[in-house]
Amino acid sequence: MPLFQNLSADPADYDDIFKARQLASPAPSKGPSLLDRLKRLFGFGKARRAAFIMLLFCAQYADRTKCDAEDERLQTLKARLNFRRFSPDDWTVFERAQEKYQAARDAKRRDRVYSKLFSRALGQFRRASNEKEKRALFIHALDLIWADKMIRHEEKEFLKALAEGLGIDQTDEAFIKAAIEIMQYKNNF
């Protein structure tokens, strides 16, 4: 049956059809606009992923030492993250940061490299991510730090700066305590 066969020339019929279509059509989405989604997909996504990985680098080197347990945990995180959103190319950021950090001649220069990488990555990630991604980053960083089953003073300072920089403050203290408790139970076995 042709679509327009039963339509009359009466304009009231067209108004009824228009109203019925409006009622049947879904309400406009309250989410991000198409332009925002495209920017996030093509423009900001790569910078956000790079900042995420850079902050994981900062979590691993928060105590300024290399630890085998943290390296193993990083490989686990890398495998888990590659499955969902990250590609192997995204991890070149980590390798470049590691080379730059290790190329510094003394501890003062390493500290400068570290703090510069941390502040830049934190600013980029804070601007380009949502609340869930910020909390996920905090959990991943905590997981990486807790891999050796101890949190040193420098690592506590890093977690505090990370939480403040991401907007996870004293009001989210229950979230932070729950995350720490989960990591303690998770790593007991």
Side-chain angles (χ1 to χ4, degrees):
M1 174 187 248
L3 183 62
F4 299 105
Q5 182 177 2
N6 293 333
L7 291 179
S8 67
D10 185 15
D13 290 342
Y14 295 111
D15 288 337
D16 291 340
I17 292 170
F18 181 71
K19 287 177 186 174
R21 281 201 176 152
Q22 277 184 325
L23 292 174
S25 66
S29 167
K30 300 278 186 202
S33 69
L34 177 63
L35 181 61
D36 291 337
R37 284 185 274 170
L38 289 173
K39 281 182 182 176
R40 192 165 188 166
L41 181 65
F42 293 109
F44 298 124
K46 187 171 184 173
R48 190 176 73 245
R49 289 190 310 265
F52 187 93
I53 291 169
M54 189 63 65
L55 289 168
L56 287 180
F57 166 80
C58 292
Q60 184 176 13
Y61 285 93
D63 58 356
R64 309 301 193 269
T65 60
K66 188 170 175 143
C67 175
D68 292 336
E70 290 175 353
D71 283 339
E72 289 174 18
R73 184 60 47 91
L74 179 68
Q75 295 307 316
T76 305
L77 286 174
K78 191 175 176 180
R80 188 176 342 140
L81 293 172
N82 282 348
F83 179 71
R84 297 204 62 213
R85 295 184 180 185
F86 292 81
S87 71
D89 293 336
D90 290 329
W91 290 94
T92 59
V93 171
F94 188 94
E95 294 160 4
R96 280 184 276 161
Q98 196 170 25
E99 289 169 3
K100 186 184 249 188
Y101 181 78
Q102 291 173 350
R105 293 183 203 150
D106 56 8
K108 284 186 179 183
R109 289 185 183 171
R110 281 191 202 109
D111 283 344
R112 272 188 260 144
V113 167
Y114 178 86
S115 55
K116 187 176 181 180
L117 293 173
F118 176 69
S119 62
R120 185 182 306 149
L122 186 60
Q124 287 175 345
F125 191 75
R126 182 179 47 230
R127 284 189 301 273
S129 62
N130 60 34
E131 191 65 30
K132 287 181 182 180
E133 292 170 338
K134 290 175 184 176
R135 288 176 181 246
L137 171 66
F138 185 82
I139 295 285
H140 285 303
L142 181 61
D143 188 19
L144 192 58
I145 286 173
W146 191 255
D148 58 358
K149 298 183 180 171
M150 63 174 45
I151 298 179
R152 293 180 176 82
H153 175 71
E154 296 88 2
E155 293 170 329
K156 285 181 186 177
E157 292 299 316
F158 167 79
L159 289 171
K160 187 176 179 182
L162 182 65
E164 288 174 4
L166 294 175
I168 303 170
D169 55 5
Q170 299 301 329
T171 59
D172 296 327
E173 192 173 320
F175 164 74
I176 294 171
K177 284 183 180 180
I180 290 171
E181 189 174 302
I182 288 168
M183 290 304 139
Q184 288 173 342
Y185 286 125
K186 179 179 169 272
N187 292 324
N188 278 337
F189 296 100

